[in-house]
Amino acid sequence: MLDQQAIDMSGQAWGSQVRAETFRIRGVNSASLFSRASLSRSGGVALLATAWAAVYAAPADAQTSGGGGRQIDVSVSNRLQYDSDVVLSDSRISGGRGKDDVSTSPTLDLDIYLPRATGSLYLRGNLGYVFYRKFTKLNRERINLEGGFDQRVLGDCIVHGSANYSRQLSDLGDVFTTVPVTGEFRNSQENREISADVGCGGGIGFRPSVAVSRSEVRNSAALRKFSDADTNSLTGQIGYSAPALGIVSVFGRYSDSKYINRSTPSGNDDGVRTYAAGVQLERNLGTRLNFTGSVNYSKVKPYLASVKEFSGVGFDLSAQYRGDFFQVGLTGSRAAEPSTLLFVSYDIQTSLGLTMTTELTPRLRWNGGFSYRRRAFASSPIFIAAPIRGTESLYSLNAGLSYQAGRRLRFSLDGGYTKRTSDTQLFNYDQKRISLTTSLSL
C-alpha cells in the first residue's frame, strides 16, 4: 500500500485507498498477500489508510489475545495544510479560482485496548472534519473506526471478530474527464465491513485457520452510486511453525464482488469472482529484521462476458529493519482487484513503498518515504463512459519532522510531492503539500 501521508491528496486519497482495500483480493495475514499495514500515528491526521488495510486483509491466521496491559489513549489534534492542487487539475471543480487552497482538520483519535483473562477488546480510529478556506464545497467529515475482540476457545484456538466503519469525501482523482462532475466531486463514500476468523495452533506445529468477511461500499452522489458494491470473501489457510523455518503457510481464497446498482441492458450484473492460492513465509531474523512474503496464482472471472478475464501471478512482501539509529520498511505487491473507478470492472494494481525513520535527538524524529502505484484497467464496451483499456501511474515522495515538546504535546512538520500520469480519461497532475500538525494527548 501506498503510505497515506505520502499520497494524502489534500484529504482525497484516503477514500480511494479504503475502497481499494475493501475490494482487494486479500492475502492471509496482517502483512497480507496484496497489502501491508500497521496502525501508524503521526500527530494530527491519522494515517489510517494502512491501518484499515491491516484489518481488511486480516488473516484467517490465529489472532493473539495481545500482550501487555490495559491501554486507553485519547488525543486531539489539528492539521493546517497548504496544497498546491486541491482539485487535482480539474478545471470543472476549480471554476477558474486556481488550484491551491489551505485546509484545517481537527481530529479526535482513539486507541483503546482492554485485555481479559481469555481474550481482549479493542477500539481504535478517529473522528474529524476537514475545512477548506476557498473550496468550501469539499468540506467533509472524516470518520474511521474499528472495533473488535479476540477470544481464546478450546485451549489453543482463538476467535477474532471485527467491525469497521468509515465515511469521507471520495477521491477526486477517480472522476473521469469525460463524465459530468455536477455534484459528483462532493460525493461522500461510506465503507462498512464485518469479519470473523478462527485459528488454532501453538508456537510449534500446524496452524489451520479459516476466515469470512463481508464489505459494503455506498456513495451519496447519484452517478457515483454505480460504484456501490458488496463483497463476500472466504479464506482457508494451513501453516506450519518451527523455530528454524518461521511460519510457512499455504492458503486459498474465494471472493465475490458485485456492483449492486450497475445493471446492463441484458440484465446481467457487473462484478468479478476471484480465486487465489499460494504460499507464504513469515520469518524473524534476530531481533532486527522481520520478513513476510507470499506468492500466489490468482484468477479473475468477470460477470460480464465482454470483460477480459485475468490469470496471473501476484505477490506481496513486507520487510522491516530496526537498527540502532534508524528503521527501514519495504513493501511491494501485485494484485488483480475490482476497480474503484466508475464503470471499470477491475484493475491490476502494482505498488511499491519505501520508508525510513530515524531519531535525531530524544525529542526530534525524522521520517521520509517513496511510493509508487500502477493500475491497469479492464472494463466492458457496453459502458460507453468507461475506458476499455488504459493505465495510471502515481508517484509520491514525503518527508517530515516530529518534535515531542512534552509528555502530551507533539508537533509535526511534513511535506510531500505527488505526480500522476495516465493514458486514459483521468487528469494528469503534480501536487505539492506542506502541513503542520499539533497533537495533544488527553
Side-chain angles (χ1 to χ4, degrees):
M1 286 293 298
L2 300 177
D3 181 79
Q4 177 66 10
Q5 185 118 359
I7 65 164
D8 185 9
M9 302 173 186
S10 190
Q12 315 310 324
W14 157 235
S16 176
Q17 294 290 15
V18 172
R19 285 201 308 282
E21 291 307 328
T22 300
F23 287 121
R24 193 170 297 280
I25 306 173
R26 305 176 187 98
V28 291
N29 71 4
S30 59
S32 73
L33 178 62
F34 296 118
S35 64
R36 186 190 71 81
S38 62
L39 186 60
S40 173
R41 309 294 302 163
S42 178
V45 174
L47 308 185
L48 282 173
T50 51
W52 303 128
V55 177
Y56 294 151
D61 211 3
Q63 304 287 329
T64 63
S65 305
R70 182 170 180 244
Q71 175 180 317
I72 300 178
D73 291 335
V74 180
S75 63
V76 292
S77 61
N78 187 69
R79 182 191 63 181
L80 182 65
Q81 176 168 291
Y82 170 79
D83 193 318
S84 67
D85 193 354
V86 169
V87 298
L88 307 186
S89 295
D90 193 334
S91 60
R92 301 169 302 176
I93 302 175
S94 65
R97 293 179 294 166
K99 300 185 296 183
D100 63 334
D101 203 353
V102 174
S103 64
T104 184
S105 307
T107 303
L108 173 68
D109 301 306
L110 304 172
D111 189 356
I112 300 172
Y113 173 77
L114 303 175
R116 298 177 294 113
T118 58
S120 62
L121 301 170
Y122 68 89
L123 173 66
R124 56 182 175 241
N126 64 8
L127 302 166
Y129 207 94
V130 182
F131 298 92
Y132 289 91
R133 183 183 64 84
K134 183 165 58 177
F135 296 105
T136 57
K137 291 182 179 181
L138 301 181
N139 293 355
R140 199 58 46 88
E141 70 280 1
R142 189 181 285 183
I143 303 171
N144 307 291
L145 294 173
E146 172 209 347
F149 70 91
D150 293 300
Q151 179 62 52
R152 186 174 297 277
V153 296
L154 302 176
D156 62 352
C157 294
I158 295 177
V159 176
H160 173 76
S162 66
N164 313 283
Y165 177 82
S166 68
R167 182 180 174 88
Q168 60 281 314
L169 185 72
S170 60
D171 183 10
L172 297 181
D174 283 350
V175 179
F176 288 135
T177 60
T178 55
V179 173
V181 297
T182 305
E184 304 310 315
F185 67 90
R186 290 178 287 179
N187 178 65
S188 291
Q189 172 153 335
E190 188 175 76
N191 298 73
R192 305 184 291 262
E193 177 162 348
I194 56 173
S195 63
D197 60 77
V198 57
C200 300
I204 299 177
F206 288 99
R207 304 173 66 184
S209 55
V210 64
V212 294
S213 68
R214 176 179 173 82
S215 63
E216 299 175 348
V217 179
R218 299 294 184 265
N219 294 274
S220 63
L223 187 59
R224 295 297 285 268
K225 287 184 179 294
F226 288 111
S227 293
D228 289 356
D230 293 340
T231 300
N232 297 299
S233 298
L234 173 66
T235 301
Q237 173 183 334
I238 184 167
Y240 183 80
S241 177
L245 294 175
I247 303 174
V248 180
S249 307
V250 295
F251 61 87
R253 177 178 291 272
Y254 169 75
S255 181
D256 179 83
S257 300
K258 289 183 180 179
Y259 299 100
I260 60 175
N261 296 323
R262 196 182 293 181
S263 60
T264 65
S266 63
N268 295 327
D269 295 320
D270 188 16
V272 292
R273 293 179 292 266
T274 60
Y275 309 82
V279 295
Q280 176 178 276
L281 171 65
E282 301 174 66
R283 182 75 187 275
N284 292 326
L285 301 177
T287 60
R288 294 183 180 270
L289 183 62
N290 172 269
F291 173 82
T292 299
S294 61
V295 173
N296 74 94
Y297 183 81
S298 61
K299 186 175 183 63
V300 180
K301 295 183 67 66
Y303 275 86
L304 298 177
S306 53
V307 180
K308 185 179 180 180
E309 294 186 359
F310 169 80
S311 298
V313 175
F315 68 89
D316 178 82
L317 65 89
S318 170
Q320 289 188 336
Y321 175 77
R322 303 174 183 86
D324 292 331
F325 303 104
F326 61 89
Q327 298 181 5
V328 178
L330 175 66
T331 61
S333 65
R334 182 174 187 261
E337 62 184 33
S339 182
T340 64
L341 296 175
L342 191 64
F343 293 122
V344 176
S345 297
Y346 72 93
D347 56 62
I348 302 170
Q349 179 170 307
T350 303
S351 63
L352 298 170
L354 176 67
T355 60
M356 178 179 289
T357 302
T358 184
E359 192 174 84
L360 302 176
T361 72
R363 291 178 178 268
L364 187 63
R365 181 181 294 268
W366 176 88
N367 66 84
F370 166 79
S371 59
Y372 166 77
R373 182 187 73 185
R374 182 181 187 274
R375 293 190 293 179
F377 309 117
S379 60
S380 171
I382 67 175
F383 299 123
I384 299 175
I388 302 305
R389 60 182 59 86
T391 62
E392 171 214 53
S393 294
L394 192 72
Y395 307 84
S396 295
L397 289 168
N398 73 293
L401 290 170
S402 62
Y403 178 69
Q404 194 73 37
R407 188 171 63 90
R408 298 178 180 274
L409 183 62
R410 181 173 57 188
F411 299 97
S412 299
L413 180 64
D414 300 280
Y417 172 77
T418 300
K419 179 181 179 63
R420 180 167 79 175
T421 59
S422 177
D423 59 6
T424 187
Q425 295 103 306
L426 294 172
F427 282 100
N428 297 325
Y429 63 83
D430 293 89
Q431 182 186 51
K432 295 174 281 292
R433 302 167 309 282
I434 186 168
S435 63
L436 175 64
T437 302
T438 303
S439 179
L440 178 65
S441 297
L442 302 179

